Amino acid sequence: MNLAAVILAAGKGTRMKSKLPKVLHNLCGAPMLSYVIDAVATAGVKKTVVVAGYGADLVTREVEGKAEVVFQAEQLGTAHALMQANQNLKGFQGRLLVLCGDTPLIEAETLSLLAERHQDTGAAATVLTAVMQDPTGYGRVLRDGRGRVARIVEQKDASPEVIKIREVNTGIYCFEPEELFKALNRVTPRNAQCEYYLTDVIEMYVKEGRPVETVMAEDPVQVAGINDRIQLAEVEQHMRGKVLRDLMQSGVTVVDPFSTFVDRKVRVGRDTVIHPFTFIEGNTVVGEDCAIGPNARLVDTVAGQGVTIQNSVVMGSSISDRCFIGPFSYLRPGTVLEQEVKVGNFVEIKKSRISDGSKVPHLSYVGDAEIGKGVNIGAGTITCNYDGRGKWPTRIGDGAFIGSNTNLVAPVEVGAGAIIGAGSTITKDVPEGALGVERAKQSVIPGWAARKKKNSDRNDKPK
Ligand code: UD1
Ligand code: CA
């Protein structure tokens, strides 16, 4: 079937009380509008038009390459919004799906079902309806004595009788476009909100004897609209559940779905276990057989296979197979860990490459560093990469051993196999195989402690 779609997304979303256009508010790491666009594309729609208005420049940037955008300068209602797409659909031969940008749980299957029913019945309009436990805020579907749809009444225009109706308009429809655009011209704003209601087209069709059909959504959750931030949170919860169910179905263990937050674009390999209180965000990819969490946050990070990350924050990093991170590590953007690297507790790493089998087990800061294979970085080692003006690199060769509490004052290089004595402040390059040590001479004074005690005991006596 030849399908086009118009997504209405020009409203400010007054009830959100936000500077950001409503349709760009995030759900599981992606703007709500992107979910509607994806559903439409999955349903096989080739031509999608988004009606933008409030924050149109931001909306345009978001849909770039995925949809055409038309501008609705003044938000005069859903009928007026849809009219703006008339030009874009001139000459289009096929059926038109109309959706709202604030209904992001809608699934492609439901859209296909709606379009098929529309085609099979030869209707002029087909409305996707749903029976809601709590229909507050939605337009209600009024039916005649024979159960056929008569009209749609907005909550604000509804009598107490009508308010009791629980079958609602989802704001998703299928139309014959030519007929529709003619009808839209005849809609008037005679209602409580003084808006041009798209829903008035339904009553108009019924009165003119044009066939109007309905399809009832099996799952009302799918068509939940977001008008305020409470609904945003409710829909986000459903979305999160969906993301986690998909992961579990693909072979990932999610120990506690209630305390696990995974963004939609994230990919996780089989037999990975995600422990509680974990956030996996952005474009993160986690391989197979990993253990993530508890208490982990991964953002835009790629992790290989068999990686362990506990109680740590990892951002913009690349982590190869069998690395062990945490507890309490902080990996900042530009960190690259090759295979079997260990990063331990209270270690921060920034923009550094650490090669195969190296270890930074405790209490270190490593920034702007290139660390070779099989290097051991002792507890408390710091790369002093910043001199107040610029950032400088530290290079450490394969197999080097950096003693505890070393300051590596960059730019500085430690050669392969070199050893740095604990407590050194290294300001000069240390060649391959050498010992670098910078330490004041230690004094040992026998019996000093006892003499000191005796002295202070005497002085402490009351006079
Ligand atoms: C609308 C329907 C209602 C339905 C509900 C489903 C109308 C009159 N009402 O109500 O029957 O139950 O959706 O969620 O159609 N928009 C524009 N330009 C405008 C006005 C709105 O583009 O001038 C867009 C909004 O950005 C939004 C969508 O249309 O994405 C729906 O508008 P909204 O104000 O949320 O309508 P509802 O009151 O929810
Ligand atoms: Ca709405």
Side-chain angles (χ1 to χ4, degrees), residues 287-307:
E288 298 186 3
D289 301 309
C290 295
I292 310 296
N295 290 307
R297 179 164 181 234
L298 277 63
V299 184
D300 296 329
T301 285
V302 177
Q305 308 205 354
V307 170

Side-chain angles (χ1 to χ4, degrees), residues 219-275:
D219 179 10
V221 161
Q222 249 193 56
V223 293
I226 299 173
N227 292 327
D228 58 31
R229 299 202 200 219
I230 295 165
Q231 288 167 329
L232 180 72
E234 285 165 358
V235 169
E236 164 119 29
Q237 205 170 2
H238 286 295
M239 193 70 85
R240 196 182 305 138
K242 208 157 109 174
V243 169
L244 294 176
R245 278 195 299 279
D246 285 349
L247 285 182
M248 292 187 269
Q249 258 153 7
S250 72
V252 175
T253 295
V254 178
V255 174
D256 178 24
F258 295 101
S259 67
T260 304
F261 303 79
V262 178
D263 279 356
R264 180 166 83 129
K265 285 196 204 136
V266 167
R267 299 280 166 269
V268 182
R270 284 214 289 196
D271 288 318
T272 283
V273 178
I274 306 177
H275 293 279

Side-chain angles (χ1 to χ4, degrees), residues 15 22 100 102-103 137-138 225-227 231:
R15 291 163 276 185
K22 173 168 73 174
C100 296
D102 64 355
T103 314
Y138 292 91
I226 299 173
N227 292 327
Q231 288 167 329

Side-chain angles (χ1 to χ4, degrees), residues 79-383:
H80 181 259
L82 185 51
M83 246 155 61
Q84 312 308 308
N86 194 359
Q87 276 304 322
N88 300 60
L89 293 159
K90 274 270 149 65
F92 169 75
Q93 299 290 323
R95 266 83 201 205
L96 180 66
L97 287 170
V98 175
L99 305 92
C100 296
D102 64 355
T103 314
L105 290 168
I106 185 68
E107 302 229 6
E109 273 177 25
T110 307
L111 295 176
S112 302
L113 200 82
L114 177 70
E116 274 159 31
R117 181 77 63 83
H118 178 83
Q119 175 164 280
D120 294 349
T121 56
T126 307
V127 185
L128 184 67
T129 73
V131 174
M132 296 276 181
Q133 216 40 285
D134 175 12
T136 310
Y138 292 91
R140 308 295 204 278
V141 176
L142 270 65
R143 291 179 180 274
D144 65 17
R146 290 176 309 156
R148 300 199 61 86
V149 60
R151 58 196 185 105
I152 294 166
V153 178
E154 291 308 296
Q155 166 107 14
K156 286 191 176 138
D157 303 304
S159 65
E161 273 309 297
V162 168
I163 285 201
K164 286 189 202 139
I165 296 173
R166 283 174 46 229
E167 189 185 6
V168 305
N169 168 32
T170 64
I172 299 169
Y173 325 77
C174 194
F175 288 107
E176 299 300 298
E178 238 189 271
E179 218 175 329
L180 169 71
F181 286 109
K182 280 184 205 146
L184 286 172
N185 277 316
R186 290 183 281 133
V187 172
T188 56
R190 258 176 270 135
N191 50 60
Q193 305 188 81
C194 298
E195 281 185 8
Y196 294 87
Y197 286 169
L198 168 54
T199 44
D200 284 356
V201 167
I202 301 305
E203 185 178 6
M204 203 182 275
Y205 277 9
V206 170
K207 285 190 171 151
E208 291 166 0
R210 292 175 209 247
V212 177
E213 289 292 330
T214 56
V215 171
M216 198 183 282
E218 265 179 45
D219 179 10
V221 161
Q222 249 193 56
V223 293
I226 299 173
N227 292 327
D228 58 31
R229 299 202 200 219
I230 295 165
Q231 288 167 329
L232 180 72
E234 285 165 358
V235 169
E236 164 119 29
Q237 205 170 2
H238 286 295
M239 193 70 85
R240 196 182 305 138
K242 208 157 109 174
V243 169
L244 294 176
R245 278 195 299 279
D246 285 349
L247 285 182
M248 292 187 269
Q249 258 153 7
S250 72
V252 175
T253 295
V254 178
V255 174
D256 178 24
F258 295 101
S259 67
T260 304
F261 303 79
V262 178
D263 279 356
R264 180 166 83 129
K265 285 196 204 136
V266 167
R267 299 280 166 269
V268 182
R270 284 214 289 196
D271 288 318
T272 283
V273 178
I274 306 177
H275 293 279
F277 309 109
T278 290
F279 301 74
I280 310 182
E281 302 172 33
N283 291 312
T284 297
V285 178
V286 177
E288 298 186 3
D289 301 309
C290 295
I292 310 296
N295 290 307
R297 179 164 181 234
L298 277 63
V299 184
D300 296 329
T301 285
V302 177
Q305 308 205 354
V307 170
T308 302
I309 303 178
Q310 298 175 347
N311 298 76
S312 292
V313 176
V314 181
M315 314 190 71
S317 298
S318 162
I319 297 162
S320 298
D321 300 348
R322 296 178 301 285
C323 284
F324 191 104
I325 294 157
F328 312 112
S329 311
Y330 180 25
L331 271 49
R332 290 167 50 196
T335 295
V336 177
L337 306 185
E338 292 184 355
Q339 296 192 2
E340 293 181 44
V341 166
K342 178 182 162 67
V343 175
N345 53 127
F346 309 109
V347 170
E348 175 176 343
I349 299 187
K350 185 214 89 172
K351 208 173 167 189
S352 296
R353 169 180 289 271
I354 303 183
S355 307
D356 292 348
S358 290
K359 294 184 170 66
V360 192
H362 354 251
L363 301 153
S364 288
Y365 171 64
V366 174
D368 304 299
E370 290 273 341
I371 298 181
K373 299 187 201 322
V375 170
N376 190 84
I377 305 282
T381 294
I382 304 289
T383 54

